[in-house]
């Protein structure tokens, strides 16, 4: 060593002298240091020091405490989940749910398979309700004039005010959304009866009042029928997005699906025609889609009615296309008398009356739609709402109680309403947060989240459901019924009130249980009870009413504006829910915003591109209404129609400004005004007792500004480039479908030729035990995205924010690819849920440098988070592009929101790759339980989160090595195929072709 | 740097590393950083497994009910202790002595409460008669976890208990411990080793399928 050192020293001295020559400075210190301690020594020393310091950094593991219960409740075992049956309150449909609890808090909501309305499914909004529970924006205390207070003080002050009001002459109104709770309705009635002039006014922001009003005029009863899609062979939807947002989409999806199972010979499949003015989820799924503009609707319905009544003769060739289409439709409907169903989703009474007449002529009443055992999901009365607004303007209202609705936000002229509210002597709100309306309320009495309170529901006649708390209320809140009973002078607990109501009005409607307590116990356990429906007497059909229909819609020039609720946002009450904001819209695949949808022809004419902000001016509104929204170009949109979604631009969405990772180039997820999206409600119209969602004579102007829209599906065409075309497939056969005629002739139709290529892998890997596989039936899938949110809830998938979505970094493990296919001059939409395919010959497994992704003995492609170093080669190699990378540490600093995390799934940090694991935590749970019980895992015991939530039960998971399993049966079906099979990846996830009820034999098979 | 210097340095570093890893395989008292073998923390209440599980012969699963039915065996809640300690407030010979003294002095025997049990009663907010005292505030009993696995390793007790493994296999002879001590490595290698040998040899004569898939513990 010394020999080398001397040499080195000599060399070093030479170098140092060179150094000195080159620099002007040379201090004595330099010389001293230079001779005994140079750069190399320094680096060597630094290296050792660093290593030494690093070693000392390795310390004893952290000290962790374990705090057991003092007195443990019997039903709770730490580490084991326990379940409660309850009812979802995401919308008015009243689907039954099962809530999974761990360690005292709910962590997952699932559909209740026994519930007659939802049959086990749960939509995206329902799944996202869990996040709404752990929301720190919810009011923690009741408020008086903006200052938090306690219930005692509030009750005292409010009851004093009520005493004053009772002596006065002014009216008292309770304005609420549709209330399906029998207890709440009874209590509201009692409360309002204590005033001289007390009335309950119900309106829904997305109103179905037209249907109720129409039935009053045509059948003498003001009801919303219960629609039975499962009994219909021919379904005609006129502007009704019944698979997406109309009334009860989970129920209707399950029912619709049951009519299209393709079982039997000839294969069972209903015929679905959709007539609509914008491309909706339901329209994309239809067998025939007919695009119209809203102003054509009434004349179309009139034409159809007169054809069915035999009043008009058949059209001859050469007549208008409307008549040709209607002729075909009338023929189909006539062939299915009593087994057809025509539904209309518009809120204008004229269209609804015509629809009633059509259904009456076809003999559908009592068969596919039931008014005697109706639905109570919507009870709105737009006329009463109009009267209330008139009363407000006339200063006739002494006290206004507002529950479950936000009129300042979701009604047209909301600003004016806000000012009117300021003039009402007493405004009481039951809102959960200070929204646009609660701002004007002197008293805010927040309600607990439905997951933490008792409630009851009778959403459809005869099915009474219970909501039970799954966690103690996280804030100091009180249910509506408790507040009302306190103000009536007889304070009771909400549980007591519900039990009393059930004892007096529900228990007597059933005969199974003789004892109320056992009936109650059984109902709480099941989550619902089926009791005798209150029969509504249907009057004779008044055919004259439908005949005198005059459409209020004038013929418009320019554009017609259609306002609609999105599948993920509904009427906007969930705008504060990050999961719902980030779910891509099933048709446009855009997240985080609303936009004005126009067709490509219209865009060309106006020289607009997607993202250009336009100004929509509704000229005939007084005062004129303008909306500034970015444009989205959408195939399938009629050229004269522009549509904008409701539910955006809500106060409170400022919270999303910093939701994404905060880095140098990160941008906020909110618009320039600080909110997500634009409120389109000012463009609604409340006219003649109808809340109308269409406007004519709308002008579009460019503003010159742009706004990026975060779309998750930016690849537009899957046509095979000419260079790669092998001469057979014009389009890459990613999604395959066939017509019913082709399928009936050959069940393999559409599933495509099997590609055989050279493979370096052995023919078949051996699986001695279970072999997990999944199959997705594209014929059932409607693209509703319930699976996406369910997966997000189950697997702790963070929200990344709009900017990250713009960079294609959304983290959803399952995505729904949406394809448009030209058909017959119009458009078909096909949806294909894509998750990790768990390939046998996985391209990702071979390229991981640290073996963080390997294949399990049971066929799963495992992702081991603690081993992953973030090379991203696996995502590069994946042909399906389902691997998601954590580019940042997504914020988990909201302690309340962290309660939503599933303790069985690792929360991934920055630099980790993640992907669908086929819910391996659920697989292991069931395997270990089975092992403990000494049995084999039953088929169907393991349900992945996506499978469990699907309203159409399109996804099936199971053991492919079990000859009796459902998944094996479906994979053996001739409709099954694998995506990108030609790459020889041998995926464990299969798909089944979609079959549309069409009569063409050719031209529709194996389309991409 | 000169070639030999580099090689020497590398050899020294390699030797050091090998020494570090090998020593811990042969020595009970030395372990790599992160390995908690021998950890014996002081607990808030000096509960003795030697007395309860050893001398009195109470089965592990009588108190640690979670072991058979859940991922975590759990530390028993205070109501389990109270099953017996409603009546047993002190060691038997002390109570006997007090009884004898009381008979001799012709008075009623005083209730003797051992200081450790007093901690339990205080946590539960009980008064001198061991009834709930409404004025007293309940407090938690904060036990210190002895067997800690890192967050990315998910261990499920059910699978192991249903495979007829004795608790002592991993936790050592707990019934001889005054204070619970970690006697096993609990490193991944130690776990996988047992999985492999169990697959080959079975557990107590019964064949088992102890998966060595990564996803068994890491998901």
């Amino acid at each position: 060593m010394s020999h080398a050192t001397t040499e080195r020293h000599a060399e070093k001295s030479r170098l140092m002298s060179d150094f000195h020559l080159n620099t002007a400075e040379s201090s004595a210190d330099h010389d001293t240091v230079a001779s005994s301690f140079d750069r190399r020594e320094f680096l060597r020393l630094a290296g050792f020091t660093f290593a030494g310091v690093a070693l000392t950094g390795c310390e004893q593991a952290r000290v962790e405490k374990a705090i057991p219960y003092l007195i443990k409740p019997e039903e709770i075992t730490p580490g084991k989940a326990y379940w409660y049956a309850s009812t979802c309150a995401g919308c008015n449909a009243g689907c039954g749910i099962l809530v999974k609890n761990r360690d005292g808090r709910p962590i997952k909501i699932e559909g209740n398979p026994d519930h007659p309305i939802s049959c086990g499914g749960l939509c995206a909004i329902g799944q996202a309700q869990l996040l709404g529970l752990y929301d720190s924006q919810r009011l923690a205390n009741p408020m008086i004039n903006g200052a938090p207070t306690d219930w005692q003080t509030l009750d005292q002050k409010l009851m004093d005010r009520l005493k004053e009001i009772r002596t006065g002459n002014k009216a008292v109104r309770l304005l609420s959304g549709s209330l399906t709770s029998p207890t709440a309705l009874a209590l509201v009635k009692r409360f309002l009866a204590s005033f001289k002039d007390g009335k309950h006014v119900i309106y829904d922001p997305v109103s179905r009042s037209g249907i109720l009003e129409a039935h009053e005029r045509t059948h003498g009863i003001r009801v919303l029928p219960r629609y039975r899609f499962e009994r219909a062979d021919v379904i005609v939807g006129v502007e009704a997005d019944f698979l997406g947002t109309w009334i009860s989409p989970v129920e209707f999806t399950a029912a619709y699906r049951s009519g299209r199972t393709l079982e039997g010979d000839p294969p069972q499949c209903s015929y679905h025609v959709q007539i609509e003015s914008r491309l909706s989820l339901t329209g994309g799924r239809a067998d025939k889609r007919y695009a119209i503009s809203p102003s054509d609707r009434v004349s179309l319905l009139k034409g159809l009615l007169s054809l069915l009544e035999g009043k008009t003769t058949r059209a001859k060739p050469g007549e208008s296309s409307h008549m040709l289409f209607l002729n075909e439709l009338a023929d189909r409907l006539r062939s299915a008398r009593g087994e057809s169903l025509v539904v209309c989703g518009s809120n204008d009474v004229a269209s609804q009356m015509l629809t009633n007449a059509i259904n009456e002529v076809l003999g559908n009443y009592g068969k596919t739609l039931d008014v005697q055992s109706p639905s109570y999901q919507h009870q709105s009365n737009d006329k009463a709402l109009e009267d209330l607004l008139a009363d407000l303007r006339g200063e006739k209202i002494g006290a206004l109680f507002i529950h479950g609705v936000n009129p300042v936000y979701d009604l047209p002229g909301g600003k004016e309403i806000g000012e009117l509210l300021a003039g009402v002597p007493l405004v009481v709100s039951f809102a959960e947060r200070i929204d646009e309306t609660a701002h004007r309320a002197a008293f805010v009495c927040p309600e607990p989240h439905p997951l933490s309170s008792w409630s009851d529901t009778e959403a459809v006649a005869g099915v009474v459901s219970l909501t039970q708390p799954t966690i103690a209320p996280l804030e100091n809140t009180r249910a509506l019924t408790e507040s009302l009973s306190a103000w009536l002078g007889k304070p009771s607990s909400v549980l007591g009130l519900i039990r009393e109501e059930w004892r007096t009005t529900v228990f007597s409607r059933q005969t199974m249980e003789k004892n109320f307590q056992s009936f109650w116990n059984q109902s709480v356990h099941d989550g619902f009870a089926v009791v005798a429906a209150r029969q509504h007497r249907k009057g004779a059909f008044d055919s004259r009413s439908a005949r005198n229909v005059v459409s209020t819609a004038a013929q418009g020039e320019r554009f017609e504006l259609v306002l609609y609720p999105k599948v993920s946002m509904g009427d906007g009450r969930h705008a504060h829910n990050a999961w719902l904001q980030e779910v891509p819209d099933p048709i446009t695949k855009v997240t985080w915003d609303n936009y004005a949808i126009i067709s490509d022809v219209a865009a060309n004419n106006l020289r607009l591109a997607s993202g250009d902000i336009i100004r929509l001016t509704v000229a005939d509104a007084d005062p004129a209404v303008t909306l500034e929204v970015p444009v989205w170009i959408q195939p399938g949109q009629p050229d004269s129609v522009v549509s904008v979604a409701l539910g955006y631009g809500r106060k409170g969405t400022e919270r999303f400004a910093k939701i994404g990772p905060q880095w140098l180039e990160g941008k906020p997820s909110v618009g320039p005004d600080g909110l997500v999206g634009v409120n389109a409600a000012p463009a609604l119209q409340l006219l003649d007792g109808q809340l109308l969602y269409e406007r004519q004579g709308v002008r579009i102007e460019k503003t010159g500004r742009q706004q990026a829209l975060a779309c998750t599906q930016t690849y537009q065409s899957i046509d095979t480039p000419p260079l790669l075309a092998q001469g057979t497939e014009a389009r890459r056969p990613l999604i395959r479908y066939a017509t019913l005629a082709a399928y009936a002739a050959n069940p393999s139709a559409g599933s495509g030729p099997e590609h055989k290529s050279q493979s370096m892998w052995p023919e078949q890997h051996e699986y001695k035990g279970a072999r997990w596989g999944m199959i997705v039936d594209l014929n059932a899938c409607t693209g509703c995205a319930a699976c996406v949110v369910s997966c997000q809830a189950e697997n702790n998938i963070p929200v990344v924010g709009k900017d990250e979505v713009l960079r294609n970094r959304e983290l959803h493990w399952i995505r729904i690819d949406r394809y448009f296919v030209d058909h017959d001059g119009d458009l078909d939409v096909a949806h294909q849920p894509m998750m990790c395919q768990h390939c046998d010959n996985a391209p990702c497994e071979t390229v991981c440098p640290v073996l963080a992704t390997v294949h399990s003995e049971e066929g799963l492609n495992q992702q081991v988070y603690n081993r992953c170093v973030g090379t991203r080669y696996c995502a590069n190699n994946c042909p399906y592009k389902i691997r998601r990378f954590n580019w940042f540490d997504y914020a988990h600093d909201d302690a309340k929101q962290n309660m939503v995390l599933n303790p069985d799934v690792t929360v991934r940090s920055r630099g980790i790759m993640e992907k669908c694991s086929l819910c391996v935590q659920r697989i292991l749970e069931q395997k270990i339980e089975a092992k403990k019980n000494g049995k084999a895992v039953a088929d169907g015991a393991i349900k992945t989160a996506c499978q469990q939530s699907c309203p159409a039960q399109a996804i099936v998971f199971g053991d492919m090595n079990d000859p009796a399993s459902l998944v094996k049966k479906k994979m053996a079906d001739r409709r099954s195929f694998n995506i990108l099979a030609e790459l020889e990846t041998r995926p464990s996830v299969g798909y089944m072709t979609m079959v549309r009820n069409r009569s063409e034999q050719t031209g529709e098979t194996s389309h991409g | 740097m000169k070639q030999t210097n580099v090689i020497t340095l590398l050899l020294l570093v390699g030797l050091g590393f090998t020494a570090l890893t090998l020593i811990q395989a042969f020595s009970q008292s030395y372990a790599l950083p992160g390995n908690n073998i021998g950890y014996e923390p002081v607990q808030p209440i000096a509960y003795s497994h030697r007395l309860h599980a050893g001398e009195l012969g109470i089965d592990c699963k009588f108190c640690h009910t979670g072991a058979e039915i859940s991922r975590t065996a759990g530390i028993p809640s205070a109501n389990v202790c109270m099953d017996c300690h409603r009546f047993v407030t002190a060691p038997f010979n002390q109570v006997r002595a007090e009884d004898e003294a009381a008979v001799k002095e012709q008075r009623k025997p005083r209730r003797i409460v051992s200081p450790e049990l007093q901690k339990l009663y205080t946590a539960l907010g009980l008064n001198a008669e061991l009834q709930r005292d409404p004025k007293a505030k309940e407090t938690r009993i904060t036990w210190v976890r002895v067997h800690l696995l890192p967050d990315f390793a998910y261990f499920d007790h059910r699978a192991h208990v249903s495979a007829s493994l004795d608790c002592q296999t991993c936790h050592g002879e707990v019934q001889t411990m005054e204070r619970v001590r970690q006697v096993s490595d609990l490193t991944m290698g130690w776990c996988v080793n047992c999985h492999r040998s169990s697959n080959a040899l079975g557990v107590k004569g019964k064949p088992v399928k102890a998966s060595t898939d990564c996803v068994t513990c890491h998901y």
Side-chain angles (χ1 to χ4, degrees), chain A residues 965-984:
Chain A
S965 69
L966 184 58
V967 73
K968 182 113 180 127
K969 192 172 122 204
K970 285 193 183 261
M971 285 199 165
D973 192 310
R974 289 162 73 178
R975 275 198 298 136
S976 75
F977 67 97
N978 289 122
I979 302 186
L980 297 180
E982 66 271 18
L983 296 177
E984 290 292 317

Side-chain angles (χ1 to χ4, degrees), chain A residues 137 139 143 146 431-439 444 651:
Chain A
Q137 227 185 34
L139 285 172
M143 314 270 269
E432 60 184 32
R433 67 190 79 221
I434 302 290
D435 56 22
E436 293 86 338
T437 307
H439 210 55
V444 182
K651 185 163 168 301

Side-chain angles (χ1 to χ4, degrees), chain A residues 196-319:
Chain A
K196 276 183 270 194
D197 177 10
K199 263 213 213 56
H200 185 186
V201 177
I202 300 181
Y203 88 94
D204 291 315
V206 178
S207 179
R208 310 290 171 207
S209 166
I211 305 178
L212 291 146
E213 189 61 39
H215 276 96
E216 184 154 42
R217 296 191 203 174
T218 58
H219 286 85
I221 26 169
R222 192 186 172 77
V223 279
L224 178 69
R226 178 130 184 239
Y227 296 99
R228 302 293 203 151
F229 286 87
E230 68 272 20
R231 298 180 190 165
D233 277 343
V234 178
I235 299 168
V236 180
V238 183
E239 305 270 33
D241 187 11
F242 58 86
L243 297 176
T245 55
W246 192 66
I247 300 178
S248 187
V250 175
E251 181 189 359
F252 296 160
T253 302
Y256 179 82
R257 161 74 178 136
S258 68
R260 297 173 79 92
T261 54
L262 300 175
E263 277 161 19
D265 184 18
Q268 179 218 28
C269 190
S270 59
Y271 181 65
H272 171 204
V273 176
Q274 188 78 359
I275 302 169
E276 56 182 18
S277 59
R278 66 171 188 98
L279 183 56
S280 71
L281 195 73
T282 314
R285 192 69 191 72
D287 298 314
K288 175 147 185 76
R289 187 177 164 264
Y290 194 71
I292 57 166
S293 57
S295 46
D296 286 341
R297 185 180 57 245
V298 172
S299 52
L300 204 87
L301 286 168
K302 263 191 170 153
L304 181 60
L305 179 62
S306 58
L307 267 176
L308 287 170
E309 286 177 328
K311 300 257 173 71
T312 9
T313 48
R314 293 186 58 83
K316 295 171 214 27
E319 280 219 32

Side-chain angles (χ1 to χ4, degrees), chain A residues 507-515 518-519 522 526 529-531:
Chain A
F507 178 54
S508 50
R509 289 157 64 186
Q510 59 84 46
T511 48
M512 289 271 283
E513 300 280 353
K514 296 283 182 269
N515 171 284
S518 33
F519 169 63
Q522 189 63 41
D526 296 340
V530 178
V531 298

Side-chain angles (χ1 to χ4, degrees), chain A residues 1 3-5 7-8 40 44 48 55 58-72 77-81 102 769 851 854-858 860 862-866 902-907 917 920-921 924-925 927-929 931-933, chain B residues 1-2 4-5 8-9 13 20 33-36 39 65-66 68-72 74-80 120 123-124 138-146 148-152 154 156 158-159 162 188 209-219:
Chain A
M1 192 90 160
H3 165 76
T5 320
E7 260 196 337
R8 203 180 28 76
R40 287 184 182 138
R44 200 190 293 163
F48 272 118
L55 268 176
C58 295
E59 49 190 58
Q60 281 282 332
R62 67 216 186 282
V63 172
E64 211 173 85
K65 304 292 171 80
I67 306 174
Y69 284 97
L70 279 176
I71 299 174
K72 185 173 82 73
T77 304
K80 242 181 123 56
R102 272 286 290 273
L851 288 180
V854 288
H855 219 66
S856 88
E857 285 168 350
E858 294 182 335
L860 288 178
Q862 308 168 101
Q863 181 67 34
V864 186
Y865 305 121
N866 43 302
N902 183 350
D904 287 340
V905 177
T906 307
V907 175
S917 56
V920 67
Q921 66 277 8
L924 284 169
E925 170 72 28
K927 271 177 66 183
I928 293 179
E929 271 296 309
K931 215 185 250 195
K932 184 190 98 184
N933 296 330
Chain B
M1 254 157 108
K2 270 289 206 62
T4 24
N5 279 349
T8 323
L9 183 65
V13 170
L20 282 172
N35 187 333
N36 277 351
Y39 186 42
T65 48
E68 225 172 352
I69 55 174
S70 165
R71 295 161 176 73
T72 56
I75 294 180
S77 46
N79 58 302
V80 176
L120 174 68
L124 279 163
E138 285 170 339
T139 53
R140 312 167 178 181
I141 304 172
T142 319
W143 302 97
V144 181
R145 277 191 69 180
V146 180
L148 264 180
L149 282 181
D151 282 344
F152 50 78
Y154 293 84
D156 197 313
R158 278 174 296 184
S162 63
M188 176 172 161
K209 199 177 170 310
S211 175
T212 47
D213 282 333
C214 306
V215 93
T216 312
C217 309
H218 299 296
Y219 51 86

